[in-house]
Amino acid sequence: MTFIIFFFCLLFPVHGRWHNHAKKHKQHSHHHDHFTISQPPSPSPSSEPAGSPPEDNGGPSSSSINSTSIFDVRHFGAIGDGTADDTAAFKMAWDTACQRNDDDNNDDYGVILVPYGFSFMIQSTIFTGPCKNGVVFQVDGTLMAPDGPDAWPKGYSAHQWLVFYRVYNMSLQGNGLIDGRGQKWWDLPCKPHKGKTMTGPCDSPIAIRFFMSSELRVEGVRIKDSPQFHFRFDNCKDVYIDSLHITSPALSPNTDGIHIENTNGVQIFNSIVANGDDCVSIGSGSFNVEIRNITCGPGHGISIGSLGNHNSRACVSNITVRDSIIKVSDNGVRIKTWQGGFGTVRGVSFNNINMDNVRNPIIIDQFYCLNKGCLNQTSAVVVSDISYIDIKGTYDIRSPPMHFGCSDSMPCMNLTLANIELFPSRGDILLDPFCWNAYGNLQTLTIPPISCLLETSSRSFLESEKDYC
């Protein structure tokens, strides 16, 4: 393999410097004192043609890079006609960029360039680190998955498409498009698509997965029609996400926009997600997550969970969602846990969120179940210290605007509500909020009025659960 890489490098020299390389995401984690909700761009991401000319967003693009540390995938044999299998060329470009060793400047990034004007079809692939220096995956053209399960090669993982494993200090960026071509996966008989009856479990690939990686930046790219989750981060830390456009049809099953699991130090800013499931979903083991200025919908809203399935332990803490819009969605901001689990969800803040025709704007559901056969159990994930501040807009009148359904044995504790104004999207009759075993306090009057919260009692109950996480 070393000889092959050396041979290609001799044929296609790519040396020099690119001094406009990506910076570590920590340099971009500053906060603004004044932050306003931004409206979706026009045209929307779904109406932009694939491979449209890149916009100048202040970041590097294939037209502005002046470097010989660039590894153009075409130089490694990629065709880019949307039909040829370009997997081997991408793997070779990655391995070459990842293993390059520049002793003169260890801060110099290797840039894997996916050029504008080309469509590259690649199979399920794992890009493995660690790399000797930082790597930029610059997507200015189009990346395409195989077209459905019949085109997926036998023996390749049907659980994931593009995986980045054990990488450190990497950027995935550009003005191009990542196309998961998920339609044929959604139409499988085992999928609840368009009202079909499910006939059994089946696998579908996650489009982009980062696993056991850190110091990550994902910025500017468009991704559409993933067979399953669009982005998933497992066992990662220090993740910066900005200006993503994620789109899939409203009925596409299990197509979460961004899912994080056992991941901490996450910032998700200034992005648009319109899909068939959760806009952002936060799984167990995740903490220190900030979500700001997200336009979400249609979809299932922003969710913590589901947690505690199969009597498992779940721990989530220090989550902030603010300055965002959720529209035409089944849920707004949601915490969902299964009966029988254990652990805690603590320190969650939902602040300055506008709801536009959302069925369940505010919901805690500790009886989450995918069928009617789930039984009530004596243990549950403890939900505590949750605040809802400045949540305003309209709700779909099929459901109450606020729903706090808490476990019989483990009540929700220390819920705080202030400046809640939720009106029906049709008619003028306010629906009463729903509470079950929920303790909290109202800092201001709410619309609609909520009288079902129980007065907060001693914290001794929660302290007894502190060893869970």
Side-chain angles (χ1 to χ4, degrees):
M1 178 61 72
T2 303
F3 174 78
I4 295 173
I5 295 172
F6 178 71
F7 177 74
F8 270 84
C9 290
L10 289 177
L11 285 178
F12 307 105
V14 283
H15 300 287
R17 296 280 184 267
W18 172 34
H19 293 290
N20 191 27
H21 55 257
K23 298 178 181 178
K24 294 182 180 180
H25 86 275
K26 286 185 176 179
Q27 295 173 325
H28 296 261
S29 61
H30 56 273
H31 299 276
H32 300 280
D33 292 332
H34 301 286
F35 201 90
T36 58
I37 298 175
S38 65
Q39 297 298 320
S42 179
S44 64
S46 59
S47 64
E48 296 174 5
S52 58
E55 299 174 357
D56 183 7
N57 63 356
S61 68
S62 57
S63 61
S64 63
I65 297 171
N66 181 16
S67 168
T68 51
S69 289
I70 300 174
F71 301 90
D72 188 326
V73 294
R74 294 173 300 170
H75 294 169
F76 294 86
I79 304 301
D81 62 358
T83 303
D85 184 353
D86 291 322
T87 309
F90 273 73
K91 283 286 289 181
M92 189 173 294
W94 172 270
D95 291 340
T96 306
C98 182
Q99 296 305 317
R100 60 186 290 277
N101 190 4
D102 191 337
D103 293 330
D104 296 331
N105 186 353
N106 289 328
D107 291 330
D108 190 22
Y109 286 54
V111 182
I112 300 166
L113 177 61
V114 181
Y116 166 70
F118 296 86
S119 296
F120 301 92
M121 195 281 291
I122 54 180
Q123 310 285 359
S124 175
T125 305
I126 300 177
F127 298 101
T128 304
C131 299
K132 294 183 178 180
N133 295 304
V135 174
V136 174
F137 207 109
Q138 181 77 24
V139 180
D140 290 330
T142 299
L143 294 180
M144 301 169 59
D147 190 16
D150 292 340
W152 207 264
K154 300 297 184 286
Y156 280 63
S157 172
H159 295 282
Q160 52 206 19
W161 176 31
L162 304 179
V163 180
F164 297 92
Y165 174 60
R166 290 189 180 277
V167 298
Y168 166 78
N169 199 13
M170 176 194 159
S171 294
L172 172 63
Q173 62 186 44
N175 299 284
L177 174 68
I178 300 172
D179 186 354
R181 302 170 85 179
Q183 183 68 55
K184 293 179 181 179
W185 294 94
W186 308 328
D187 287 340
L188 289 173
C190 55
K191 297 289 184 176
H193 186 49
K194 297 182 179 178
K196 292 180 179 179
T197 301
M198 295 179 65
T199 60
C202 62
D203 296 326
S204 296
I206 297 164
I208 309 290
R209 184 185 182 198
F210 288 89
F211 182 49
M212 297 181 68
S213 299
S214 61
E215 296 287 349
L216 304 172
R217 289 182 62 89
V218 181
E219 189 169 12
V221 296
R222 291 177 294 141
I223 180 170
K224 72 171 188 175
D225 295 347
S226 176
Q228 204 192 121
F229 297 174
H230 288 78
F231 280 91
R232 177 168 176 141
F233 296 84
D234 288 281
N235 296 91
C236 296
K237 63 179 181 180
D238 298 330
V239 178
Y240 178 85
I241 299 172
D242 198 350
S243 302
L244 291 190
H245 291 177
I246 300 174
T247 57
S248 65
L251 292 178
S252 56
N254 208 26
T255 53
D256 293 37
I258 301 169
H259 179 78
I260 65 174
E261 191 94 12
N262 295 306
T263 293
N264 67 86
V266 180
Q267 297 172 304
I268 303 173
F269 297 156
N270 311 315
S271 296
I272 298 171
V273 183
N275 61 333
D277 211 303
D278 294 334
C279 171
V280 180
S281 54
I282 300 171
S284 181
S286 299
F287 59 94
N288 295 343
V289 177
E290 181 181 7
I291 300 170
R292 184 195 300 176
N293 200 29
I294 300 296
T295 299
C296 175
H300 294 178
I302 297 174
S303 292
I304 297 173
S306 60
L307 304 174
N309 194 12
H310 303 300
N311 305 106
S312 61
R313 173 178 176 267
C315 301
V316 173
S317 63
N318 194 21
I319 311 295
T320 299
V321 181
R322 59 175 298 180
D323 306 326
S324 294
I325 299 171
I326 302 176
K327 58 183 182 179
V328 195
S329 295
D330 283 355
N331 304 290
V333 290
R334 176 169 59 160
I335 299 172
K336 51 181 178 176
T337 70
W338 292 79
Q339 286 285 293
F342 65 102
T344 60
V345 177
R346 293 178 182 266
V348 180
S349 172
F350 301 110
N351 194 330
N352 189 27
I353 300 173
N354 181 264
M355 304 287 180
D356 180 4
N357 194 20
V358 174
R359 184 167 182 177
N360 299 290
I362 296 173
I363 180 170
I364 296 176
D365 179 9
Q366 292 208 269
F367 301 91
Y368 184 73
C369 179
L370 296 179
N371 56 62
K372 296 181 179 180
C374 300
L375 299 177
N376 200 356
Q377 300 188 41
T378 56
S379 65
V381 177
V382 175
V383 176
S384 69
D385 303 318
I386 316 295
S387 66
Y388 303 90
I389 311 296
D390 292 317
I391 313 293
K392 301 179 181 181
T394 60
Y395 61 91
D396 185 318
I397 59 175
R398 291 177 294 172
S399 301
M402 289 174 269
H403 178 107
F404 301 108
C406 302
S407 169
D408 293 341
S409 56
M410 303 285 188
C412 299
M413 302 291 291
N414 297 326
L415 308 181
T416 300
L417 287 78
N419 299 326
I420 309 297
E421 297 179 6
L422 294 169
F423 296 91
S425 57
R426 296 197 312 269
D428 54 5
I429 298 176
L430 298 175
L431 298 182
D432 292 332
F434 172 84
C435 305
W436 181 261
N437 211 20
Y439 289 80
N441 67 87
L442 304 177
Q443 293 186 347
T444 67
L445 296 177
T446 67
I447 302 174
I450 178 169
S451 58
C452 58
L453 278 182
L454 303 173
E455 292 186 5
T456 301
S457 60
S458 170
R459 291 185 58 90
S460 59
F461 174 82
L462 289 179
E463 291 301 323
S464 68
E465 309 300 328
K466 67 183 179 180
D467 294 332
Y468 278 7
C469 293

